[in-house]
Every structure is written in C-alpha cells, then in structure tokens.
Amino acid sequence: HYADIIENKSLYIKDVMEDLNLTTRLKNNDVMLHKELVNIVPLLRETLIDILNDSRYADQTIELQTNVDKLMLNIDTILI
C-alpha cells in the first residue's frame, strides 16, 4: 500500500517538474512547436475520456457538445 502511495507521489512530482520545465522554456521562447493540421474534435473527445478516467476527477461532470465532426486546426498536439 505504501509503495503505491510513494509511486503515485513520485509520478506527481515528475509531472510537476516537467510542467515547470515547460513553463520556463515557454517563457524563454525556447520551445520548438511541432504544429500539424489536426481534427481537434476527436482530440478533445480522447482528452476528456482520459480526464474522466483519472480518479482525481471522479466526482466531476464534463460534457463535450459540438455540432461539427471535423474542425481542423494547426496545433502542436502534445502541448495542447
């Protein structure tokens, strides 16, 4: 049980450090964007599914409402 807690906390700290690193790089204009033309509708659906499957958001309700199946944007899918 404690090993699971330690693992979860260490993964959380890793994520925080990566976010801090990215924030610093963005502030210093040190990030190369890898933009590509992407249909953002399925990307949003997949992202929402990932969020809702995270136990931290178990008590949240998120709903995607759209009247289009295709919305193409030139974005960096990793950073978005």
Side-chain angles (χ1 to χ4, degrees), residues 10 22 32 54 71 74-75:
S10 66
L22 177 60
M32 288 291 296
D54 188 324
L71 179 60
N74 196 24
I75 59 172

Side-chain angles (χ1 to χ4, degrees), residues 5-48:
I5 293 171
I6 292 169
E7 180 182 17
N8 289 336
K9 296 298 180 182
S10 66
L11 291 174
Y12 173 77
I13 290 171
K14 177 182 168 275
D15 288 343
V16 169
M17 294 302 295
E18 288 175 355
D19 288 349
L20 180 61
N21 181 26
L22 177 60
T23 301
T24 302
R25 290 176 56 208
L26 286 169
K27 284 183 179 179
N28 294 327
N29 293 322
D30 191 29
V31 175
M32 288 291 296
L33 298 177
H34 302 285
K35 292 183 175 183
E36 58 184 315
L37 196 58
V38 174
N39 182 1
I40 197 163
V41 175
L43 179 63
L44 287 172
R45 282 192 182 112
E46 292 168 14
T47 302
L48 289 175

